[in-house]
Amino acid sequence: METTAAFDGLECTDCGERFDAESVTHDCPECGGICDPTYDYEEINLTRTDLEARPFDGQWRYEELLPIPRDAAVTMDEGTTPLIECPALADELDVGRVVIKDEGRNPTGSFKDRGHALAVSAAREHGASDIVLTSAGNAGQAAAAYAARAGLDSHVFVPSRANFVNKAMINVHGGDMTVVEGRFEDAAAACADAMEGEDWYSTSSFTTPYRHEGKKTMYYEIAEQLDWEVPDRIVYPTGGGVGLVGMHKGAKEFRDLGLTDDLPAMYAAQSSGCAPIVDAWNAGDATHETWDTPDTICGGIEIPDPGASPLILDALRESDGGAVATPDEDILDSAITVAQHEGVEMGATCAAAASGAWELAEQNEFESDDTVVLMNTATGNKEDDILRSHLMGKGI
Ligand SMILES: *Cc1c(COP(=O)(O)O)cnc(C)c1O
Ligand SMILES: [Zn+2]
């Protein structure tokens, strides 16, 4: 496996055991816990000036803080997405500044590209011939695309309700797609069955250690785009929490390397139709309880049993953030408001972040001089049909 100089293998987030990344590729062999990439930070000498001198040309510009070097990466220049100023939203939320991190500008239209660029790079380094995952849709599309680029086969399990664009593009990339009647957990069960006896390399979130690792670069970029000013709040549409956990890790790394001097408060935004993280947060629990009847139109965050909930809840606590749930109706209204007041296209799933921010503002969670970042995790037109029918429901 070709690795970067400071990469120091994996550490289990549960039992703390350490492993070399060559022999251990997924969960902790001791306890089944989630493995996290580690680094020898003393070896990393990165300054603001170093980073500013580099072209803003994709997430691999932070290669020292990634396990695999750019040379060995399966990449389509994902990352370095714009941070869009939203003065009308700042007025409406009564805060100093609102910016939207527009992850819709990634190669397959979502931030899932960041995680899959790294996870598929790792798969190739580990000699995999096939990758496999369960996905609500966007991760499956990213997986099929990056597998195609790496010359690997992909096996993607999606629930029947996954959106049309995702299913179509998994086919277009040559992925082997199984559409499973039901919801995410049904697709996950079918995926586990199909993997029996196959030598497939999983890129399911938090099964591979590399998806949250790729997504942490979103935070690095935000810090740099804000001229090293740490944003006060980051609101993230939360399903499995991969991006939230990744960004919180990235924020601690930048702080510990002396590049920034604080941590942003992280907020998990969910739909009231599937809010296991918000429930656990409100109850003060360290882990979630499975949501019995998930029912939200926000498919990307309909994750009733997020296995990484202890990591998500830790990140919320450590960063002095929080969690918020809003109904689908409000979420869809927020997507329309953002589209009409700022022009930015937010899908239904992502708009949970906007809707959550409104709710947090109403709960007086924000200060009047705050900088609030809303994560637009995918391009709006992946869910254009949902937004358009919402208008029709209003007679428009
Ligand atoms: C996957 C996805 C999410 C949720 O991501 P997690 O890291 O699993 O919480 C949010 N928005 C969109 C558009 C997604 O595709
Ligand atoms: Zn362990």
Side-chain angles (χ1 to χ4, degrees):
M1 181 178 191
E2 199 179 331
T3 61
T4 47
F7 178 52
D8 198 21
L10 304 175
E11 185 177 304
C12 174
T13 57
D14 232 340
C15 71
E17 199 67 45
R18 300 181 61 98
F19 306 98
D20 76 80
E22 198 88 54
S23 53
V24 171
T25 56
H26 291 85
D27 293 343
C28 171
E30 302 289 327
C31 77
I34 294 166
C35 280
D36 187 40
T38 62
Y39 302 83
D40 181 359
Y41 292 106
E42 307 280 309
E43 290 285 306
I44 300 175
N45 295 307
L46 262 188
T47 64
R48 292 180 179 184
T49 320
D50 294 337
L51 286 171
E52 282 164 0
R54 295 179 186 177
F56 203 60
D57 62 351
Q59 69 182 13
W60 301 91
R61 66 197 290 283
Y62 305 100
E63 137 184 276
E64 290 92 335
L65 287 158
L66 292 169
I68 292 174
R70 192 172 205 156
D71 283 352
V74 181
T75 176
M76 294 189 267
D77 296 347
E78 54 289 332
T80 50
T81 56
L83 192 67
I84 303 167
E85 206 68 51
C86 295
L89 297 186
D91 270 356
E92 286 162 21
L93 293 175
D94 197 19
V95 295
R97 198 172 174 194
V98 172
V99 287
I100 291 182
K101 180 68 169 160
D102 194 6
E103 290 291 303
R105 317 286 184 95
N106 275 300
T108 76
S110 89
F111 73 142
K112 295 296 199 296
D113 291 334
R114 296 182 188 257
H116 264 92
L118 186 56
V120 171
S121 300
R124 189 169 69 177
E125 290 295 311
H126 287 134
S129 60
D130 295 64
I131 62 163
V132 61
L133 77 161
T134 309
S135 163
N138 284 332
Q141 185 179 341
Y146 282 84
R149 189 161 176 84
L152 306 181
D153 288 333
S154 61
H155 307 275
V156 186
F157 291 77
V158 294
S160 45
R161 68 197 329 253
N163 74 42
F164 175 76
V165 176
N166 292 145
K167 290 179 195 150
M169 294 312 292
I170 292 166
N171 288 152
V172 168
H173 288 299
D176 161 34
M177 178 171 66
T178 306
V179 179
V180 182
E181 189 59 37
R183 293 177 184 254
F184 186 86
E185 295 302 328
D186 303 299
C191 179
D193 280 351
M195 284 176 74
E196 294 280 335
E198 301 285 355
D199 191 18
W200 294 347
Y201 185 104
S202 174
T203 62
S204 281
S205 50
F206 289 121
T207 303
T208 165
Y210 299 107
R211 276 177 57 183
H212 66 282
E213 198 63 6
K215 286 186 181 178
K216 75 182 182 182
T217 56
M218 293 190 292
Y219 177 78
Y220 298 160
E221 293 171 16
I222 291 169
E224 229 183 310
Q225 287 169 308
L226 291 174
D227 290 327
W228 309 103
E229 215 34 73
V230 173
D232 300 285
R233 332 268 170 189
I234 299 182
V235 189
Y236 176 79
T238 304
V242 186
L244 191 149
V245 169
M247 282 193 289
H248 181 63
K249 178 180 183 180
K252 287 192 287 185
E253 290 176 326
F254 260 26
R255 182 196 59 186
D256 296 348
L257 288 168
L259 290 162
T260 52
D261 53 16
D262 211 347
L263 296 178
M266 301 295 307
Y267 291 86
Q270 299 199 294
S271 160
S272 315
C274 184
I277 297 297
V278 179
D279 265 12
W281 173 258
N282 289 337
D285 292 342
T287 183
H288 76 288
E289 277 178 36
T290 302
W291 194 265
D292 281 338
T293 43
D295 187 20
T296 167
I297 206 158
C298 308
I301 55 171
E302 195 187 75
I303 307 292
D305 190 19
S309 66
L311 304 182
I312 303 171
L313 292 159
D314 268 353
L316 305 183
R317 254 186 298 274
E318 271 181 23
S319 70
D320 203 14
V324 63
T326 52
D328 282 3
E329 184 73 12
D330 292 2
I331 292 174
L332 293 171
D333 281 347
S334 299
I336 307 290
T337 303
V338 173
Q340 297 191 353
H341 294 191
E342 295 287 7
V344 178
E345 297 186 354
M346 251 190 175
T349 297
C350 317
S355 177
W358 255 282
E359 177 61 25
L360 289 165
E362 256 162 51
Q363 295 171 4
N364 291 317
E365 182 79 15
F366 299 155
E367 315 264 342
S368 58
D369 59 352
D370 275 353
T371 295
V372 177
V373 182
L374 305 182
M375 300 303 298
N376 192 27
T377 41
T379 179
N381 59 30
K382 288 213 196 200
E383 294 178 319
D384 53 356
D385 49 345
I386 301 176
L387 300 183
R388 187 64 192 86
S389 15
H390 183 60
L391 289 182
M392 282 191 251
K394 293 173 178 297
I396 299 168

